[in-house]
Amino acid sequence: FHTTILSLHSMDRKGEKVVLAYSGGLDTSVILKWLAEKGFEIICYCANVGQVGEDFEAVRAKALSAGAKKVYIEDLREEFVKGYIFEAVKANAIYESRYLLGTSIARPCIAKRQVEIARIEGAKFLAHGATGKGNDQVRFEMCAQALDATITTIAPWREPEFIERFKGRSDLLEYAKVNGIPVSSTPKANYSIDENLYHTSYESGMLEDPACPPPESMFKMSVSPEAAPDVPEMIRIEFDEGIPIKVTNLSDNTVKTGALELFEYLNLVAGRNGIGRVDIVENRFVGIKSRGVYETPGGTLLREAHLDLEGICLDREVVRVRDMFSSEWARLCYYGFWFAPEMELVKNAINFASKDVRGSVDLKCYKGNVIVVGRSSDSRSLYSADLASMEIESGGATIDYDPSHAQGFIRINSTRLKAYNLLRGCPTQLNDK
């Protein structure tokens, strides 16, 4: 795709527009100035996807002072929750059985708006500050090419000239000093942080040693389970077609219904109860193993509740097939194929499977644990108390079930096992002593 080494040092880019994904940090501030040196007209874009405590007006001012011609500060929080977080919950999406995809699902949301701004501004170039070793470079650029194949992405951390000039943080700081780019006086943490509404991730620095425990002071969204309250907190989450629509705190009667306020409230409840932390080594798409520490408090609650509700609402074989699509949804999202045709297929399958996921789940939140204590679905439940009861031999008044038929069921299903034993012998060595 159109993400290549551009030989920027030998090409006249005067007046050409580039939309830079800008955070206000050291890297993207240096990239802004560096691109301006090449003659580009810089349009900065900063996405608000729920970064805690971010001063977006300060980001705007810094970008303009560093040479940006225009700055877009886009509040994408509502879109992020409805179109990305809740879609992940509905799909039971989880990568390598542990990672809830907090960074992965934010990237297409951010990339989509970057392409939209490029079209509004007539820009043919995008730029970002992602490194050449991570997943984000792939995600941003795959999304951009899927949405507009005519756009070219500039990735400075893959440009030989840029890499030669900036070999480390000291070179970036010196360049910032010479060019009057303000740098935070706060000491840089010994790890990197990426945050949004869904999660906060920590990696690099001291965390590159997989045996090094993360410091407690690092965490931003949750208290440690040991510091959580000694009294459990009870909540009820209601779903319609797999999407959370209402949260009720059964301990204090707080009710939340709007998508954004509902999710922010779940983050608050889960966080104060020490829920949602995970420390893993994962496999990046580019082939590198990476250690990451994640906080996904509200997302952890929603996943547990949604999985449980499906147990009462969905047919067994639908769940089996849907689980295959869930795994593929997570893989495609992690790898950056959000806007690919195969992802559209997977999403439609998930939507079909979710049409009957309606009802509520009651959860107990206690010292890092999420404990399901009850669930109900008035209109879509497939659970029959009579059929499940050990006190009633039949299936009850409405379902025909005869326990004696189980004998034939077992005989038919064990036929191949008996044949294997008789023709090949026992698959496991028995101890006859």
Side-chain angles (χ1 to χ4, degrees):
F1 37 74
H2 291 254
T3 50
T4 186
I5 296 169
L6 297 176
S7 299
L8 294 176
H9 63 286
S10 62
M11 301 179 71
D12 181 13
R13 298 293 178 182
K14 187 172 178 60
E16 292 196 73
K17 294 181 178 180
V18 58
V19 179
L20 170 64
Y22 183 72
S23 67
L26 176 62
D27 285 31
T28 52
S29 294
V30 167
I31 289 170
L32 192 169
K33 199 73 174 180
W34 184 77
L35 288 172
E37 287 179 356
K38 304 300 174 188
F40 283 101
E41 180 179 318
I42 317 296
I43 299 155
C44 283
Y45 154 58
C46 181
N48 176 4
V49 286
Q51 303 93 309
V52 177
E54 185 70 79
D55 185 344
F56 290 102
E57 287 310 307
V59 171
R60 183 195 303 276
K62 186 173 183 179
L64 292 171
S65 69
K69 297 297 183 183
K70 187 181 289 189
V71 181
Y72 283 79
I73 305 292
E74 301 292 293
D75 187 348
L76 305 181
R77 291 175 298 167
E78 189 90 21
E79 178 184 350
F80 182 42
V81 172
K82 290 181 176 179
Y84 299 85
I85 293 176
F86 283 179
E87 290 299 304
V89 171
K90 182 166 61 177
N92 296 324
I94 192 165
Y95 179 70
E96 295 185 339
S97 303
R98 302 180 73 192
Y99 174 44
L100 291 178
L101 300 160
T103 297
S104 312
I105 62 170
R107 296 315 184 225
C109 180
I110 295 168
K112 175 173 172 283
R113 187 56 183 154
Q114 188 178 18
V115 172
E116 290 170 347
I117 292 170
R119 287 187 169 184
I120 292 169
E121 293 291 338
K124 290 300 180 182
F125 294 91
L126 305 177
H128 61 71
T131 72
K133 281 190 171 182
N135 293 312
D136 281 347
Q137 58 177 338
V138 181
R139 293 166 181 155
F140 280 127
E141 296 172 29
M142 297 284 274
C143 288
Q145 289 301 291
L147 295 170
D148 189 336
T150 68
I151 283 180
T152 298
T153 299
I154 302 168
W157 283 116
R158 296 201 305 267
E159 291 282 344
E161 179 192 350
F162 189 88
I163 295 170
E164 180 65 26
R165 187 170 183 180
F166 303 105
K167 297 184 182 298
R169 182 171 172 81
S170 60
D171 291 336
L172 294 170
L173 289 169
E174 179 61 25
Y175 182 85
K177 181 180 179 181
V178 170
N179 287 278
I181 300 171
V183 177
S184 173
S185 59
T186 304
K188 180 177 172 58
N190 193 17
Y191 45 81
S192 67
I193 303 173
D194 180 79
E195 60 181 313
N196 59 52
L197 278 168
Y198 198 39
H199 88 164
T200 300
S201 69
Y202 311 89
E203 61 181 14
S204 301
M206 63 183 292
L207 299 176
E208 288 178 351
D209 177 359
C212 176
E216 183 58 37
S217 60
M218 179 182 79
F219 295 98
K220 302 181 71 172
M221 298 179 77
S222 64
V223 302
S224 69
E226 294 88 346
D230 294 329
V231 178
E233 193 165 3
M234 308 292 295
I235 63 168
R236 174 173 295 158
I237 304 176
E238 298 178 32
F239 293 84
D240 185 18
E241 297 188 359
I243 298 296
I245 58 170
K246 184 179 180 181
V247 171
T248 303
N249 190 316
L250 302 177
S251 298
D252 65 13
N253 297 319
T254 298
V255 176
K256 302 290 182 181
T257 53
L260 179 56
E261 71 162 358
L262 177 158
F263 191 74
E264 288 179 328
Y265 183 68
L266 287 176
N267 272 340
L268 178 66
V269 171
R272 67 192 180 205
N273 284 284
I275 291 165
R277 296 183 182 184
V278 63
D279 183 340
I280 64 176
V281 173
E282 69 199 64
N283 291 290
R284 290 178 179 167
F285 189 21
V286 295
I288 299 171
K289 284 190 179 292
S290 170
R291 192 265 188 100
V293 181
Y294 303 105
E295 292 177 281
T296 318
T300 299
L301 291 182
L302 286 177
R303 174 176 171 79
E304 293 301 317
H306 184 264
L307 279 168
D308 189 82
L309 185 60
E310 285 186 330
I312 201 172
C313 293
L314 293 187
D315 175 78
R316 178 188 72 186
E317 293 304 300
V318 169
V319 170
R320 182 181 64 81
V321 175
R322 193 285 320 282
D323 281 350
M324 292 187 281
F325 283 109
S326 294
S327 176
E328 187 66 5
W329 195 107
R331 188 186 71 86
L332 291 171
C333 177
Y334 188 87
Y335 288 176
F337 290 93
W338 184 270
F339 297 109
E342 62 270 33
M343 185 58 145
E344 186 176 1
L345 168 66
V346 170
K347 286 180 180 178
N348 277 291
I350 295 292
N351 287 340
F352 184 85
S354 300
K355 61 186 176 63
D356 289 324
V357 183
R358 298 174 182 170
S360 65
V361 178
D362 293 351
L363 303 171
K364 179 191 292 186
C365 304
Y366 183 66
K367 290 191 176 293
N369 296 290
V370 185
I371 305 162
V372 176
V373 295
R375 79 286 296 159
S376 67
S377 177
D378 294 336
S379 62
R380 310 310 295 170
S381 176
L382 292 175
Y383 180 82
S384 167
D386 286 351
L387 185 59
S389 176
M390 295 298 179
E391 304 299 323
I392 302 174
E393 286 193 7
S394 69
T398 58
I399 300 176
D400 179 23
Y401 184 84
D402 186 340
S404 67
H405 293 168
Q407 183 171 338
F409 177 81
I410 295 167
R411 276 181 150 177
I412 293 297
N413 277 281
S414 65
T415 297
R416 67 181 182 87
L417 303 178
K418 291 188 290 184
Y420 191 99
N421 177 265
L422 292 169
L423 298 173
R424 292 275 187 90
C426 182
T428 302
Q429 187 65 42
L430 295 177
N431 186 351
D432 296 329
K433 295 181 180 180

